[in-house]
Amino acid sequence: CTINDIVRFLSGKGINISRGTVIWNVNESVLRGKAIRVGRGVYSFTPKPIFEPKLGVSALKAIDALRKNLKYLDLVITDTGGLGQFMNLLPFSSLIVIEVRKQSVGAVVSNLRKKGIEAIEKTDYVSLEKYIESNEPVVVRSILSVNPPLKKGHGITIASLEKMLVDIVCDAGIYGQYQGEELVGIYRNATDRYAINYSRMLRYASGRKRKPDVTAILSETDEYRKVRDLL
């Protein structure tokens, strides 16, 4: 529901509370975990857990290697291992994607390889196919100019669930095992089990020029259909 829905509901019950008070109480409910934002100005009072992205051993090893040699490096990391819980067939491997400033891509790849970590630039398509076949390859790409929904963890910036769901649509070339029938299943299971901020997700998809594609897949899920007219 929206703030206006709440105000109308209370008024219908003969309860006169200012809009500002309603907003304050809703924000307090969000902070206490009793409500969640599912879009800009749209809230759910039957909250689901927020997806907390976790990094596997390989991702942590890569971060540790970079911290020692590139101490002031700004990066965003994605570990697709968490997407396995939403799939019918477990993926044969997970994928680690590290996003850094364009001028740092080469240095990051070089440092990871020196530590024995399989790393490849996203632009190196010839080698990319070979690396994708390994167990946990690290793909390094220049950071996207659009503002993605992110999380903090392990002292670094990690891709949120919303970002991962958009990225697997936008970058099918590196997220091949999450395509086809699995793609809709991932969206359905993710939105069913976890709180999703659809406004943030679609804003990011729009920045990546794939909003129609992401919206089409979301429209296959029960959870999105409940809120889309309110967004």
Side-chain angles (χ1 to χ4, degrees):
C1 60
T2 65
I3 296 295
N4 288 338
D5 292 331
I6 298 171
V7 172
R8 282 195 295 268
F9 174 79
L10 294 174
S11 296
K13 296 290 185 180
I15 303 171
N16 295 314
I17 298 178
S18 71
R19 179 181 175 85
T21 301
V22 171
I23 292 173
W24 186 88
N25 278 280
V26 169
N27 287 334
E28 281 293 301
S29 295
V30 171
L31 290 174
R32 295 178 182 181
K34 295 181 179 180
I36 56 172
R37 291 185 179 88
V38 295
R40 187 170 183 176
V42 184
Y43 301 86
S44 171
F45 291 88
T46 53
K48 298 174 183 179
I50 294 174
F51 181 84
E52 297 296 339
K54 301 192 185 309
L55 300 181
V57 174
S58 295
L60 292 173
K61 181 181 177 182
I63 293 299
D64 185 59
L66 294 175
R67 277 177 172 162
K68 289 179 179 178
N69 299 298
L70 301 169
K71 294 181 180 179
Y72 303 106
L73 181 71
D74 289 327
L75 62 84
V76 176
I77 188 166
T78 300
D79 187 336
T80 64
L83 294 178
Q85 63 182 290
F86 308 129
M87 301 175 68
N88 292 319
L89 298 174
L90 289 178
F92 55 83
S93 67
S94 60
L95 180 69
I96 299 161
V97 178
I98 295 178
E99 299 174 39
V100 295
R101 295 183 185 279
K102 185 176 182 180
Q103 59 268 30
S104 300
V105 171
V108 169
V109 171
S110 177
N111 273 271
L112 292 175
R113 288 179 177 175
K114 287 178 181 178
K115 293 293 183 179
I117 298 171
E118 288 189 315
I120 186 69
E121 291 186 34
K122 182 180 180 293
T123 53
D124 193 352
Y125 293 106
V126 175
S127 299
L128 191 58
E129 291 184 4
K130 183 190 78 171
Y131 277 87
I132 293 301
E133 292 174 358
S134 68
N135 289 328
E136 290 184 300
V138 177
V139 176
V140 184
R141 66 177 302 165
S142 56
I143 202 162
L144 301 169
S145 58
V146 294
N147 293 321
L150 303 169
K151 302 279 289 183
K152 291 290 185 180
H154 303 280
I156 57 172
T157 305
I158 306 176
S160 67
L161 178 57
E162 289 91 344
K163 173 174 164 55
M164 284 195 284
L165 291 175
V166 172
D167 285 345
I168 61 176
V169 173
C170 297
D171 297 307
I174 60 175
Y175 295 111
Q177 59 191 322
Y178 305 104
Q179 305 305 308
E181 294 182 2
E182 287 287 6
L183 187 57
V184 174
I186 289 170
Y187 268 60
R188 282 177 176 158
N189 291 326
T191 56
D192 184 56
R193 298 176 194 175
Y194 290 98
I196 300 289
N197 189 314
Y198 294 103
S199 291
R200 292 179 66 198
M201 182 175 171
L202 291 174
R203 188 162 56 246
Y204 176 57
S206 179
R208 298 211 62 188
K209 314 298 185 187
R210 297 296 295 273
K211 183 177 178 179
D213 300 308
V214 171
T215 302
I217 302 171
L218 281 174
S219 296
E220 297 290 322
T221 71
D222 293 335
E223 296 302 305
Y224 177 71
R225 288 197 291 264
K226 293 177 184 177
V227 304
R228 63 183 172 188
D229 292 336
L230 299 176
L231 298 174

